Amino acid sequence: MFTKTSPIGVIDSGIGGFSVARRLQKLLPYEDILYFGDGANTPYGNHTGGEILTMTRYMLRFMEEKQVKALLVACNTISCLIDQYRDDMSCPVFSVVQAGADAVRERGLDKVGVISTCFTANSRCYPELIGKSSPRTRVYSQGCPDLANTVERCVGHPESQEQIDAVIRKEVGELVAQEPLDYCVLGCTHYPLVEEDILRLFPGLTLIDPAEQMAKSTQAYLAEKGLANDPGHEGRLDIFTTGSVEEYTAKARKVGLDPVTSVRFYPPAQG
Ligand code: DGL
């Protein structure tokens, strides 16, 4: 059973969820965070729904064993399937896609673009959730086949900047070619990690990072349930990855996570 001193769990296929963890650290510096990145299997967006569910359940079991007090699904691809695994957890499960839809509602927009993995775009979960809370907002979706994986591999490697720029130019370019847009949701948690690059190449876009809303919703939930940790506590960030501990350590620091208490290897799911 979880208590107010239990950690908050954050899961992603890779390092994308760092964009959520860093917002949590800013807003809730007294909370412990347990991060799981399935580096051995990233990117999820190119897998089938069934495969994504199997890989997700592996991370959920880990988080359930650690008795987290809230689980933040800091992966849009996984969040699209939330109805199929929400009940696997005994704590509340937060979807980053819902956070993105909430952030759009707060802005009251006529139209908005959403860039995401192809899986997220094909699932139509952004248009559906935005449609529920902002029925007058037109949504233009763009699946980006390469951007998440490029970010995963290239962040922290300055020699790869040209490669990042080329993918952003092509894939975000396809969104703005559909329709002139002022606002764009970063519908994959990897994208806020290259937010400055996107803005440099598309300065006319205002970017919406759902992580901000997700951190606020977590704060509200903890306050409402009396589950917020003692404000005097110095929050930990313990990272587990099925990928490279060295890469995760370097990238966590590079994207501004602080503190990074530990980075450990966790064996990937078999078969
Ligand atoms: N970070 C994940 C997301 O938000 C995507 C990366 C992947 O496809 O694995 O959708």
Side-chain angles (χ1 to χ4, degrees):
M1 196 48 202
F2 53 85
T3 66
K4 67 179 204 168
T5 57
S6 304
I8 297 170
V10 178
I11 60 169
D12 181 47
S13 60
I15 63 164
F18 286 173
S19 63
V20 171
R22 71 183 175 188
R23 294 276 184 178
L24 280 181
Q25 284 191 321
K26 281 223 170 70
L27 194 63
L28 305 169
Y30 43 84
E31 297 293 351
D32 292 337
I33 302 170
L34 203 53
Y35 186 95
F36 194 119
D38 194 7
N41 291 308
T42 196
Y44 276 16
N46 301 341
H47 287 78
T48 64
E51 288 165 347
I52 295 168
L53 270 178
T54 303
M55 297 184 291
T56 301
R57 289 209 157 97
Y58 188 68
M59 294 195 276
L60 296 184
R61 271 197 297 280
F62 172 89
M63 289 295 175
E64 188 66 6
E65 276 166 21
K66 302 284 183 190
Q67 300 185 327
V68 295
K69 62 183 173 185
L71 180 72
L72 275 53
V73 183
C75 175
N76 293 260
T77 305
I78 304 176
S79 291
C80 294
L81 300 168
I82 192 166
D83 290 339
Q84 297 181 61
Y85 58 76
R86 198 195 296 267
D87 295 341
D88 290 19
M89 297 295 295
S90 47
C91 69
V93 180
F94 291 85
S95 147
V96 71
V97 176
Q98 184 62 58
D102 292 346
V104 169
R105 187 197 60 229
E106 280 202 351
R107 287 171 175 82
L109 307 173
D110 293 334
K111 58 180 179 177
V112 69
V114 180
I115 49 172
S116 68
T117 62
C118 294
F119 185 93
T120 299
N122 292 337
S123 77
R124 310 287 302 155
C125 72
Y126 263 102
E128 271 171 32
L129 283 178
I130 293 173
K132 277 188 193 156
S133 52
S134 319
R136 287 202 305 275
T137 307
R138 277 170 291 139
V139 182
Y140 296 86
S141 302
Q142 183 64 50
C144 303
D146 293 323
L147 189 49
N149 197 28
T150 304
V151 173
E152 178 82 17
R153 285 182 292 104
C154 298
V155 158
H157 294 280
E159 71 283 5
S160 303
Q161 189 60 49
E162 264 179 43
Q163 202 183 333
I164 296 177
D165 285 2
V167 176
I168 292 174
R169 226 178 255 116
K170 177 169 186 302
E171 299 191 344
V172 182
E174 282 168 10
L175 172 74
V176 296
Q178 274 191 55
E179 173 77 13
L181 291 162
D182 295 329
Y183 290 88
C184 175
V185 176
L186 300 174
C188 165
T189 52
H190 281 71
Y191 304 166
L193 304 178
V194 292
E195 188 170 2
E196 285 170 15
D197 300 321
I198 299 174
L199 285 174
R200 173 169 46 78
L201 296 167
F202 293 91
L205 281 179
T206 297
L207 302 178
I208 300 173
D209 177 1
E212 191 182 346
Q213 182 62 44
M214 198 174 206
K216 281 189 206 157
S217 304
T218 307
Q219 182 184 41
Y221 153 73
L222 295 177
E224 187 196 326
K225 301 289 180 197
L227 281 172
N229 207 355
D230 173 1
H233 178 74
E234 204 176 304
R236 301 170 56 93
L237 169 61
D238 293 293
I239 299 174
F240 289 82
T241 177
T242 57
S244 156
V245 167
E246 209 176 43
E247 285 279 311
Y248 270 60
T249 306
K251 289 175 182 178
R253 298 235 156 78
K254 172 76 194 163
V255 304
L257 287 168
D258 183 25
V260 178
T261 313
S262 71
V263 184
R264 275 172 270 181
F265 178 73
Y266 193 80
Q270 292 301 311

